[in-house]
Amino acid sequence: MDDNNLPHIVVPAHLPSLQKSIAFVSSCAKAAGFDSKRIREIELCVEEVLVNIFNYAYPGDGGQVTIACRRGADGNLVVRIQDEGIPFNILSASDPDITADIDERQIGGLGIFFVRQLMDGVEYRREANRNILTLSVKPPAPPERSDRDS
Amino acid sequence: MEISKKKEKDVLVISVSGRIDAVTAPDFEKDLMESIGAGEKILLLLMNKLEYISSAGLRSILAIAKVLKTKEGKLVFAGLQGPVKDVFKISGFGSIFTIFDNEVEALSQL
């Protein structure tokens, strides 16, 4: 699907774009009816993906990132993040050691770990020189049905 | 992000509100490092007004904790809630740091 048909923004791949990008995704999540805690989690995952792109996708020259939101047929909120930088599949990154103490602790990989832990779906593909990462989030359960969670 | 500080005996009580993200984390880290540079050794971070923290914020917290450890100081937390509490749990930070329910409990035990 062409992102031009979806609500989307295109931003330069650098840190000053972060707040605008998060605000865009946040407004999509809010419109989809998520509660504030889930919205913060969605913001967190999008930040982690974007910062990774800002830092590593375009060594040397700058580039752009396209962020698009839509509601899937299943009601999921789908956030698609595309760049034309070097190939990187976040699903191939190894999990960080989350048991190491203060001295041994490393932060590398933690952001990606958050994405995998907090999103309901994460899908990566490389297509025509683009990294295309799709995050999906199950719709909020209607409050009256919350006691039926299996 | 906003930071306010007060001294309670030997403890520097730091209340941080708003968001610690990749943009604000360097300011957060610099601010606390300045307090450590000025001789503060026991830092209590009150997080009850913090609505958001990303891995960039955790990176800063870890950097601060490492410096404090070399000075035989310590960094403890109180008032984690909502998504911030979850991030601490998922990252394992909840088990490497001392976390109190609230400021009163923390100050009574520091």
Side-chain angles (χ1 to χ4, degrees):
Chain A
M1 191 187 298
D2 191 335
D3 277 348
N4 291 330
N5 296 325
L6 301 172
H8 71 282
I9 57 170
V10 181
V11 297
H14 60 186
L15 199 55
S17 301
L18 182 67
Q19 285 167 335
K20 179 185 176 186
S21 306
I22 297 298
F24 168 73
V25 174
S26 193
S27 70
C28 298
K30 201 169 182 181
F34 290 98
D35 64 23
S36 63
K37 180 165 178 287
R38 196 63 175 138
I39 292 172
R40 294 292 100 78
E41 290 172 351
I42 295 165
E43 291 173 353
L44 171 67
C45 293
V46 172
E47 173 180 334
E48 302 296 354
V49 170
L50 288 176
V51 169
N52 207 60
I53 293 170
F54 296 164
N55 288 340
Y56 303 113
Y58 299 104
D61 295 336
Q64 291 185 322
V65 186
T66 302
I67 305 153
C69 294
R70 66 182 166 90
R71 299 298 293 277
D74 47 12
N76 284 0
L77 173 70
V78 179
V79 181
R80 190 160 58 188
I81 300 168
Q82 296 189 54
D83 65 76
E84 297 177 352
I86 57 176
F88 177 65
N89 178 2
I90 75 165
L91 295 173
S92 67
S94 55
D95 284 346
D97 178 359
I98 59 166
T99 61
D101 69 12
I102 291 172
D103 291 329
E104 310 293 324
R105 212 56 179 358
Q106 304 290 328
I107 289 294
L110 200 51
I112 289 167
F113 184 64
F114 288 153
V115 176
R116 292 201 299 248
Q117 291 288 314
L118 292 169
M119 295 291 92
D120 295 308
V122 183
E123 191 183 292
Y124 169 83
R125 64 180 198 275
R126 178 81 182 174
E127 195 176 283
N129 294 324
R130 286 182 302 177
N131 293 305
I132 304 173
L133 187 73
T134 306
L135 307 177
S136 56
V137 192
K138 287 181 185 165
E144 68 270 24
R145 295 180 60 197
S146 60
D147 58 342
R148 290 178 55 196
D149 283 351
S150 55
Chain B
M1 181 205 55
E2 284 186 23
I3 297 171
S4 65
K5 298 173 189 168
K6 62 177 179 181
K7 198 73 188 280
E8 294 280 348
K9 295 183 182 165
D10 293 338
V11 182
L12 184 67
V13 181
I14 301 154
S15 181
V16 55
S17 61
R19 301 168 70 95
I20 304 180
D21 60 19
V23 173
T24 60
D27 295 334
F28 167 76
E29 185 174 332
K30 183 166 174 277
D31 192 300
L32 270 61
M33 289 295 193
E34 281 172 3
S35 294
I36 295 166
E40 299 295 344
K41 284 193 173 172
I42 304 173
L43 273 57
L44 166 60
L45 258 181
L46 300 181
M47 313 278 265
N48 50 304
K49 290 179 188 162
L50 188 67
E51 62 179 66
Y52 177 97
I53 190 165
S54 67
S55 69
L58 297 186
R59 184 188 297 271
S60 294
I61 285 172
L62 189 66
I64 292 160
K66 286 184 175 180
V67 168
L68 272 172
K69 205 169 174 190
T70 65
K71 296 176 182 290
E72 296 177 349
K74 61 180 166 182
L75 175 63
V76 301
F77 297 84
L80 274 69
Q81 46 82 39
V84 174
K85 195 171 187 176
D86 284 355
V87 164
F88 265 60
K89 188 176 176 188
I90 296 169
S91 62
F93 270 44
S95 47
I96 59 174
F97 288 106
T98 304
I99 297 170
F100 298 99
D101 284 345
N102 55 57
E103 180 182 356
V104 173
E105 190 200 340
L107 290 174
S108 72
Q109 297 194 35
L110 284 171

